[in-house]
Amino acid sequence: MALSVTARLGAAGSGLPLWHDGCWGVVRGCTRVSSGCEHCMAEWHCARPPLVTHGVSRMTPFGPRWTGRVVTHPERLEEPLHIRAPLRLCVAAASDLFHDALPAAFLEEVWDVMRRATWHRFVVLTKRPERMRVFVRDHGAPDNVWIGVSVEDMERARQRVPVLLEVPARRLWVNAEPLLGPLTLSPWLAALRWVAAGPELGRGARPCRADWIRVLADECAAAGVPFWLNEARLDGELRQQLPVDLR
């Protein structure tokens, strides 16, 4: 049975809550690394006005494609420092903070701002955990930073989650979005603080079965790990839990 999918708030006005309060767009641009990237919403948005002017994505006869260019926005580095109300901030949603093309010096500046803005909670997500592991070992993980990997199926979970668990940080999480196949995180749940999942959205979205989501929701409940279902309902219900220290 397929999930009842609702479009992203702001794109189609679903009214479903999002887990973050906003996005900190200090970096734009990426490249595809696995099947979960094929219908990337960021790739699509960056190929349209006004973001297309950054040159990180462009429309082709086959749809939007990243150009391989990664653009930093140093003028936005200190934005979180000027917002006094505590927020949950998604970091670099239109990129991957650990992309090989991102200069190490700029990554260090981003990390420094997160370390200084102690009243915010920053949520980082990557499909490139190897660079993240090395970086965090060298620079440490601020206590207000949640560090996670994105996986779309069991194959990618086996590749990325063990590397995530080698990152010396207290707040580790996994995002299974878009979920494209059966997945269990039970081998690693004892070390995770949060799990999120959701279907693929947009034109040509591949199906996400309710039983795939149900497995994740049930095993998280059994392990006492908060579970957040993004952009959909399961069995007619919202499944949206945040860890206490991310609320």
Side-chain angles (χ1 to χ4, degrees), residues 21-100:
D21 298 313
C23 296
W24 182 28
V26 284
V27 185
R28 284 198 176 94
C30 202
T31 47
R32 297 182 178 190
V33 294
S34 62
S35 59
C37 303
E38 289 180 12
H39 295 147
C40 176
M41 295 295 287
E43 186 178 45
W44 186 85
H45 283 297
C46 287
R48 295 171 59 84
L51 298 182
V52 68
T53 57
H54 296 294
V56 299
S57 182
R58 61 185 175 86
M59 285 295 180
T60 75
F62 308 101
R65 292 293 185 273
W66 296 116
T67 64
R69 186 182 184 209
V70 173
V71 175
T72 62
H73 292 282
E75 73 279 6
R76 296 179 181 160
L77 266 173
E78 296 197 352
E79 285 180 351
L81 299 174
H82 301 298
I83 302 172
R84 301 310 301 178
L87 298 174
R88 287 188 300 269
L89 294 173
C90 178
V91 181
S95 185
D96 187 321
L97 197 59
F98 294 95
H99 195 284
D100 291 343

Side-chain angles (χ1 to χ4, degrees), residues 97-120:
L97 197 59
F98 294 95
H99 195 284
D100 291 343
L102 184 67
F106 190 79
L107 177 54
E108 290 170 2
E109 290 186 81
V110 172
W111 216 249
D112 180 63
V113 170
M114 294 193 291
R115 193 185 304 276
R116 291 159 59 196
T118 56
W119 57 96
H120 295 311

Side-chain angles (χ1 to χ4, degrees), residues 84-159:
R84 301 310 301 178
L87 298 174
R88 287 188 300 269
L89 294 173
C90 178
V91 181
S95 185
D96 187 321
L97 197 59
F98 294 95
H99 195 284
D100 291 343
L102 184 67
F106 190 79
L107 177 54
E108 290 170 2
E109 290 186 81
V110 172
W111 216 249
D112 180 63
V113 170
M114 294 193 291
R115 193 185 304 276
R116 291 159 59 196
T118 56
W119 57 96
H120 295 311
R121 286 134 308 157
F122 296 92
V123 183
V124 175
L125 190 64
T126 186
K127 286 185 173 72
R128 298 164 172 85
E130 292 80 11
R131 186 183 184 192
M132 179 174 68
R133 176 182 55 191
V134 172
F135 181 86
V136 177
R137 282 178 175 175
D138 291 344
H139 295 83
D143 204 43
N144 60 329
V145 176
W146 289 73
I147 295 174
V149 293
S150 176
V151 303
E152 60 264 42
D153 53 30
M154 200 66 221
E155 177 186 0
R156 299 303 176 180
R158 291 190 182 104
Q159 293 173 357

